[in-house]
Amino acid sequence: MNLPTPEKNLHDIILDHINDLAKMDALKKILNEASELDLLDALHSLTGEYPGMVYRLLAKDKALDVFEQLDTDSQQLLIHALTDHAAIEIIEHLPPDDRVRLLDELPAKVAKKMLAALSPNERSMTNLLMGYEPDTAGRIMTPEYVNIKKEQTAEEALERVKIDALEKETIYTLYITDSTRKLEGVISLRDLIIAEPTDKIEDIMEKITTTVSTDTDQEEVAHILQKMDWLAIPVVDRESRLVGIITFDDIAQIIEDEATEDIEIMAALNPSETPYLKTGIFRQARNRIVWLMFLMLSATFTGFIIAGFEETLEAAIVLATFIPMLMDTAGNAGAQSATLVIRGMALGDIQFKDLLAVLWRETRVSIICGIALATANFARIFIFTNGGDYLLAFTVSFALIATVIMAKTVGCLLPLFAKKINVDPAVMATPLITTIVDAAALIIFFTFATLILHI
Amino acid sequence: MNLPTPEKNLHDIILDHINDLAKMDALKKILNEASELDLLDALHSLTGEYPGMVYRLLAKDKALDVFEQLDTDSQQLLIHALTDHAAIEIIEHLPPDDRVRLLDELPAKVAKKMLAALSPNERSMTNLLMGYEPDTAGRIMTPEYVNIKKEQTAEEALERVKIDALEKETIYTLYITDSTRKLEGVISLRDLIIAEPTDKIEDIMEKITTTVSTDTDQEEVAHILQKMDWLAIPVVDRESRLVGIITFDDIAQIIEDEATEDIEIMAALNPSETPYLKTGIFRQARNRIVWLMFLMLSATFTGFIIAGFEETLEAAIVLATFIPMLMDTAGNAGAQSATLVIRGMALGDIQFKDLLAVLWRETRVSIICGIALATANFARIFIFTNGGDYLLAFTVSFALIATVIMAKTVGCLLPLFAKKINVDPAVMATPLITTIVDAAALIIFFTFATLILHI
């Protein structure tokens, strides 16, 4: 019973002991008395041979429990470090949904070997799940739920729970199906325990419930579970037959992964599922280069705009000094709007039908922001040129207001339209918005300059 | 038992019925037969008077259940729409952690009135939680856990669970404390059900467990619960006495909120907790203007760099056409690295001690990316100028390689150093990185131009 000790401790103790045979017994004792959280942190942070060595020192039950909680990358490394026999024992012991996630990551040859070595029952369950599309409810569900009948009494149902308790993923929500496996209702173990032993399940179960289908996107599943605060949600096939459940422990990971994917796409990166330090150099370069190249070539067209105004620029080279400020402000203003709309859509706060509301909102906000920025800029130029160049100050300030309004309009509209045509709105984030509004900002600026400064 | 009907349906049915007294009974029936998920979606999407009207049509039990699942903003709107008596009844019924979250959002005067009207027991529990700092474990925990003694048998403990089942937040994890309330162990209801009725709790409980303290940051709590797949984590005070538990249903929300906060900060926004369409215009403008202003003034210094190279630029105005491409590429390359490092730190994949590993990785990736981009650019300039201006092509290409390396170095280092000095690394994202690397990119470009083109 301790506060969580900082990860460094167990990690360092392990490194201090592990290469010294005389200290092996002491280490074994320390490891088996450590909390699961400390063990997880140590296994995640150790590299090379060490995770395998540590793992082999754990008592079997503790080892199996810890393995189940490890992230998939670390599980994969361990599988490679263990004997086939030990690896198969672990995989047989994993809940079906975790097993599928791990097999998905293993090299096809290894996965096939492991699958073949499973007991027939576990193998057929695993094959079933692996038949569903990645990232769907079918792929992440587990078929191990507790099934009771509506004709049973509360007491009979509790007996069923006791029998099933060891092997089912959860016993805290029980599912009632008819003879054709159609879902008829749900009851929590809490309600079952409160009930009179003679109560009929039919009378105490909840009849109206929400289900998802096997092809529902995992992100949608996560959001429903999050909204309902349920421990598990039932998954049904096209004929409304119960085929599995998805439990709460998968939800936080899905929400975190989806946020990471959005954040990476929004920064012009091809999203990667492996942690930063575990991704190969060439893979990382590839994840970045496509977007960098596309955006660089797009920015070249922005250069053509400057080329088109070369005479204006030659007549007043001072205009060039405002280019970075205008481009950066345009990019930042557009990125703010795009980010708010993209995240709002991801959280379900904003839909395409809100387009006019969003546009009206952004217009008003951009006028306020534009005027504030322009005023600051006018004052700066006016003071720096001793009040001499008020025409230049006007040019820059008007261009700035128009630029902010334009940038925020583009920034809020593009993600909404992207969603409408089924493109991931996250693509319409900072980098692409910046490139587009940069070009527009320069056109606005040089047009105002030509008009106001008469060049 | 239905697939979730799209939100529009119930929403539209409500709008169709609600202003017609003759349809009121039909609506009442529809609402009370609807799934909780559909009701939640409808209540979240309805505006004005409607949520309050719908809510009053629900049967009391259903109404209380639905209220508990609503997001805090919608709860707040409903409280204002209901009579004081109805509002107090709801608040009395909420679990203490949800109640605190709602009271935090209500105007101080309303919150005080509600608090005063609670039963003494609920009031003292609420006051206790409200004494802890926002965003800490103490503030989000619930004191409603099931407490058993190690001397009890499994059968006696099960009896206790049955008695407590109605009022405790969860009965699926039970906590064992000594006479001074010190936490001694934990047992799951599953293990209790499997055990022999005569087994002593002492012998079947888990003695080693992970706890958090009342001042642990909620984000850390979320990550521990996520790692362990637990239903709840115990919260202890400085004397290791059990004071509450935090349950799984708060975790997904915390993870999502923290991701939203990071995404907003990374786009130069002051993070806002209210949904986009529910935030006032002036508040939204204020959330954006501070950063826009700061970044605009910073970009002004980038303009000074151009002013410093005015002679170079006048000698070869064509150089100006490459400014947008170089600035944008620098910004994008730096933003990619910064984003990966910021997110990696948020997920715990990267720590300050990994600085050299990160730097070495970014250097190699940036050399690969830089060469690829420079080659494409060289070819483009070479072809467009009919092979004439190879010196210009060299200038731009070398500047591009140096810029990408510089941008990626700055992009990966700044978030790491920010973390080191306890500044939120998310601040060191695209907008700030862009401003910094833009200036550096221009210096690199004009220096190369002076050297290679001899101007």
Side-chain angles (χ1 to χ4, degrees):
Chain A
M1 185 67 34
N2 292 308
L3 291 179
T5 44
E7 157 204 352
K8 236 178 63 188
N9 291 7
L10 190 58
H11 177 105
D12 290 352
I13 292 169
I14 291 170
L15 290 184
D16 183 49
H17 284 67
I18 203 151
N19 289 315
D20 185 346
L21 263 181
K23 291 183 179 170
M24 221 33 100
D25 278 346
L27 180 56
K28 198 168 176 176
K29 189 161 182 292
I30 292 166
L31 290 174
N32 283 293
E33 281 172 4
S35 79
E36 254 183 57
L37 183 65
D38 289 343
L39 277 173
L40 285 175
D41 284 338
L43 284 168
H44 282 147
S45 66
L46 288 168
T47 50
E49 302 278 278
Y50 295 137
M53 293 168 74
V54 166
Y55 192 78
R56 280 189 291 269
L57 290 174
L58 293 175
K60 193 170 150 189
D61 278 359
K62 188 147 197 167
L64 290 173
D65 282 353
V66 165
F67 190 89
E68 222 178 294
Q69 311 301 334
L70 280 172
D71 64 34
T72 320
D73 291 299
S74 304
Q75 286 183 337
Q76 200 186 336
L77 286 177
L78 270 185
I79 290 293
H80 291 303
L82 297 172
T83 63
D84 275 7
H85 177 77
I88 288 161
E89 193 179 36
I90 288 171
I91 289 180
E92 173 90 26
H93 179 268
L94 281 179
D97 50 346
D98 292 353
R99 186 190 299 140
V100 168
R101 195 162 53 212
L102 175 56
L103 290 176
D104 272 342
E105 292 300 316
L106 289 174
K109 224 173 130 184
V110 181
K112 214 173 151 189
K113 190 167 66 180
M114 297 290 155
L115 201 49
L118 288 176
S119 64
N121 185 26
E122 297 293 328
R123 187 168 60 237
S124 76
M125 243 193 295
T126 311
N127 275 325
L128 174 77
L129 300 187
M130 294 189 84
Y132 294 104
E133 288 291 307
D135 300 339
T136 63
R139 187 73 159 229
I140 59 169
M141 71 185 181
T142 173
E144 295 188 327
Y145 54 86
V146 182
N147 197 337
I148 55 178
K149 300 287 164 203
K150 64 178 173 192
E151 298 80 19
Q152 291 179 311
T153 63
E155 195 174 14
E156 287 164 353
L158 262 178
E159 280 309 310
R160 161 72 20 211
V161 171
K162 277 183 205 172
I163 295 166
D164 281 355
L166 267 179
E167 57 181 57
K168 300 300 184 187
E169 173 113 6
T170 183
I171 60 164
Y172 300 141
T173 312
L174 319 170
Y175 298 90
I176 297 98
T177 56
D178 70 11
S179 55
T180 62
R181 287 207 296 141
K182 281 224 173 69
L183 184 57
E184 297 185 307
V186 171
I187 187 169
S188 68
L189 183 58
R190 187 197 289 244
D191 287 343
L192 195 59
I193 281 186
I194 298 171
E196 293 297 320
T198 52
D199 283 350
K200 273 267 166 62
I201 294 300
E202 195 169 10
D203 302 324
I204 53 177
M205 71 183 190
E206 245 176 81
K207 287 175 198 80
I208 309 162
T209 192
T210 300
T211 60
V212 294
S213 78
T214 49
D215 54 4
T216 304
D217 189 88
Q218 63 171 3
E219 200 173 354
E220 201 185 322
V221 177
H223 281 129
I224 295 175
L225 263 177
Q226 183 191 355
K227 235 183 273 181
M228 307 301 290
D229 291 349
W230 284 345
L231 280 167
I233 190 164
V235 183
V236 296
D237 65 11
R238 280 167 213 282
E239 282 79 40
S240 299
R241 285 178 309 215
L242 182 62
V243 287
I245 59 171
I246 297 170
T247 48
F248 76 96
D249 54 299
D250 298 325
I251 300 317
Q253 193 60 50
I254 292 172
I255 288 175
E256 193 168 273
D257 287 349
E258 300 284 350
T260 303
E261 192 182 306
D262 274 5
I263 289 174
E264 295 188 349
I265 295 174
M266 288 167 80
L269 289 154
N270 282 337
S272 158
E273 283 185 9
T274 40
Y276 176 83
L277 290 171
K278 291 177 183 166
T279 313
I281 296 298
F282 286 99
R283 175 119 170 246
Q284 284 213 341
R286 206 186 53 207
N287 285 342
R288 305 186 196 185
I289 222 160
V290 182
W291 271 106
L292 281 182
M293 190 72 83
F294 169 74
L295 293 167
M296 181 185 79
L297 294 177
S298 311
T300 303
F301 292 100
T302 316
F304 292 163
I305 293 168
I306 296 186
F309 286 99
E310 212 167 281
E311 282 174 33
T312 316
L313 200 55
E314 270 181 326
I317 198 88
V318 65
L319 292 178
T321 63
F322 296 102
I323 290 178
M325 183 274 289
L326 274 165
M327 279 176 55
D328 281 356
T329 304
N332 291 331
Q336 287 181 333
S337 306
T339 302
L340 285 171
V341 172
I342 292 168
R343 190 63 184 160
M345 284 196 286
L347 298 179
D349 295 337
I350 301 176
Q351 270 125 38
F352 187 76
K353 68 175 170 60
D354 301 316
L355 191 139
L356 287 180
V358 171
L359 194 60
W360 172 225
R361 188 167 272 270
E362 287 301 309
T363 307
R364 286 174 295 165
V365 172
S366 62
I367 291 172
I368 300 174
C369 291
I371 290 176
L373 295 179
T375 310
N377 231 289
F378 187 89
R380 189 185 64 81
I381 300 173
F382 198 76
I383 293 166
F384 269 65
T385 59
N386 290 317
D389 220 341
Y390 67 92
L391 276 183
L392 179 67
F394 272 123
T395 305
V396 175
S397 300
F398 285 138
L400 200 49
I401 296 177
T403 295
V404 172
I405 296 174
M406 174 277 300
K408 290 213 166 284
T409 308
V410 172
C412 76
L413 289 183
L414 283 192
L416 283 165
F417 284 121
K419 178 89 173 187
K420 188 74 184 169
I421 57 168
N422 282 324
V423 169
D424 186 344
V427 169
M428 301 295 165
T430 317
L432 197 58
I433 296 283
T434 301
T435 308
I436 294 169
V437 299
D438 275 2
L442 289 177
I443 294 175
I444 290 174
F445 180 47
F446 283 116
T447 308
F448 275 56
T450 321
L451 293 175
I452 300 180
L453 303 176
H454 302 292
I455 40 176
Chain B
M1 183 69 34
N2 292 308
L3 291 181
T5 42
E7 157 202 351
K8 237 180 61 188
N9 290 6
L10 189 59
H11 177 105
D12 290 353
I13 293 170
I14 292 170
L15 291 185
D16 183 49
H17 284 66
I18 203 149
N19 289 317
D20 184 347
L21 263 181
K23 291 184 179 173
M24 223 31 104
D25 278 346
L27 180 57
K28 198 168 175 178
K29 189 161 182 292
I30 292 168
L31 290 174
N32 283 294
E33 280 172 5
S35 78
E36 253 183 56
L37 182 66
D38 289 343
L39 277 172
L40 285 175
D41 284 337
L43 284 168
H44 282 147
S45 66
L46 288 168
T47 50
E49 301 277 279
Y50 295 138
M53 291 167 75
V54 166
Y55 192 78
R56 280 188 292 267
L57 290 174
L58 293 176
K60 193 171 153 189
D61 277 357
K62 188 145 194 165
L64 290 173
D65 282 352
V66 165
F67 189 89
E68 221 178 298
Q69 311 301 334
L70 281 173
D71 64 34
T72 318
D73 290 299
S74 304
Q75 287 183 338
Q76 201 187 334
L77 286 176
L78 271 185
I79 289 293
H80 292 302
L82 297 172
T83 63
D84 274 7
H85 177 76
I88 288 161
E89 192 180 36
I90 288 172
I91 289 180
E92 172 90 25
H93 178 268
L94 280 180
D97 48 348
D98 292 352
R99 185 189 301 140
V100 168
R101 196 162 51 215
L102 174 56
L103 290 176
D104 272 341
E105 293 302 317
L106 288 174
K109 223 175 132 184
V110 181
K112 215 173 151 188
K113 190 168 64 180
M114 298 288 155
L115 201 50
L118 289 176
S119 64
N121 184 27
E122 297 293 328
R123 187 168 61 235
S124 78
M125 246 195 291
T126 310
N127 275 326
L128 174 78
L129 300 188
M130 294 191 84
Y132 293 105
E133 287 291 308
D135 299 338
T136 63
R139 187 74 159 229
I140 59 169
M141 71 186 182
T142 170
E144 295 187 329
Y145 53 87
V146 181
N147 198 336
I148 55 178
K149 300 288 163 202
K150 64 179 174 191
E151 299 79 17
Q152 290 180 311
T153 62
E155 195 175 10
E156 287 162 353
L158 262 177
E159 279 310 310
R160 160 69 24 209
V161 171
K162 277 182 205 171
I163 296 166
D164 282 355
L166 267 180
E167 56 181 56
K168 302 299 183 186
E169 172 115 5
T170 182
I171 59 163
Y172 300 141
T173 312
L174 319 170
Y175 299 89
I176 298 99
T177 56
D178 69 11
S179 57
T180 62
R181 287 208 296 143
K182 279 222 172 69
L183 183 58
E184 297 184 306
V186 172
I187 188 167
S188 68
L189 182 58
R190 185 198 290 245
D191 287 343
L192 196 60
I193 282 185
I194 298 171
E196 293 296 321
T198 52
D199 282 350
K200 272 264 164 64
I201 294 300
E202 195 169 12
D203 302 325
I204 52 175
M205 72 183 190
E206 246 176 82
K207 287 175 199 79
I208 309 162
T209 193
T210 300
T211 60
V212 294
S213 78
T214 48
D215 54 4
T216 305
D217 188 89
Q218 62 172 4
E219 200 174 354
E220 201 185 322
V221 177
H223 281 129
I224 295 175
L225 263 177
Q226 184 191 357
K227 235 184 272 182
M228 306 301 290
D229 292 348
W230 283 345
L231 280 167
I233 190 165
V235 184
V236 296
D237 66 10
R238 279 167 215 282
E239 283 79 40
S240 299
R241 284 179 309 216
L242 182 62
V243 287
I245 60 171
I246 297 169
T247 48
F248 75 96
D249 54 299
D250 298 326
I251 300 317
Q253 193 60 50
I254 293 172
I255 288 175
E256 193 168 274
D257 287 349
E258 299 284 349
T260 303
E261 191 181 309
D262 274 5
I263 288 173
E264 294 188 350
I265 295 174
M266 288 167 80
L269 290 153
N270 282 338
S272 157
E273 283 184 10
T274 38
Y276 176 82
L277 291 171
K278 292 178 183 166
T279 313
I281 296 296
F282 285 99
R283 176 119 169 246
Q284 284 213 341
R286 206 186 53 206
N287 285 343
R288 306 185 195 187
I289 221 160
V290 182
W291 272 107
L292 282 182
M293 190 71 85
F294 170 74
L295 293 168
M296 181 186 79
L297 295 177
S298 310
T300 304
F301 291 100
T302 316
F304 292 163
I305 293 169
I306 296 185
F309 286 99
E310 214 167 280
E311 282 173 33
T312 316
L313 200 56
E314 272 182 324
I317 198 90
V318 65
L319 292 178
T321 64
F322 295 102
I323 291 178
M325 185 274 288
L326 275 165
M327 278 175 55
D328 280 354
T329 304
N332 292 331
Q336 287 182 332
S337 306
T339 302
L340 286 171
V341 171
I342 291 167
R343 189 64 184 160
M345 283 196 287
L347 298 178
D349 295 338
I350 301 177
Q351 270 124 38
F352 187 76
K353 68 175 170 60
D354 301 316
L355 189 137
L356 286 179
V358 171
L359 194 59
W360 172 224
R361 189 167 272 271
E362 287 302 308
T363 308
R364 286 175 295 165
V365 172
S366 62
I367 291 173
I368 300 173
C369 291
I371 290 176
L373 296 179
T375 310
N377 231 289
F378 187 90
R380 188 183 67 79
I381 300 173
F382 198 76
I383 293 165
F384 269 65
T385 59
N386 291 316
D389 220 341
Y390 67 93
L391 276 184
L392 179 66
F394 271 123
T395 304
V396 175
S397 299
F398 284 139
L400 199 50
I401 297 177
T403 295
V404 172
I405 297 174
M406 173 278 299
K408 290 213 167 282
T409 308
V410 172
C412 76
L413 288 183
L414 282 192
L416 283 165
F417 284 121
K419 178 91 174 186
K420 189 73 183 171
I421 57 168
N422 283 325
V423 169
D424 186 343
V427 168
M428 301 294 166
T430 317
L432 197 58
I433 297 283
T434 301
T435 308
I436 295 169
V437 299
D438 275 2
L442 289 176
I443 295 176
I444 291 173
F445 180 49
F446 284 116
T447 308
F448 276 54
T450 322
L451 292 174
I452 300 179
L453 303 175
H454 301 293
I455 41 177

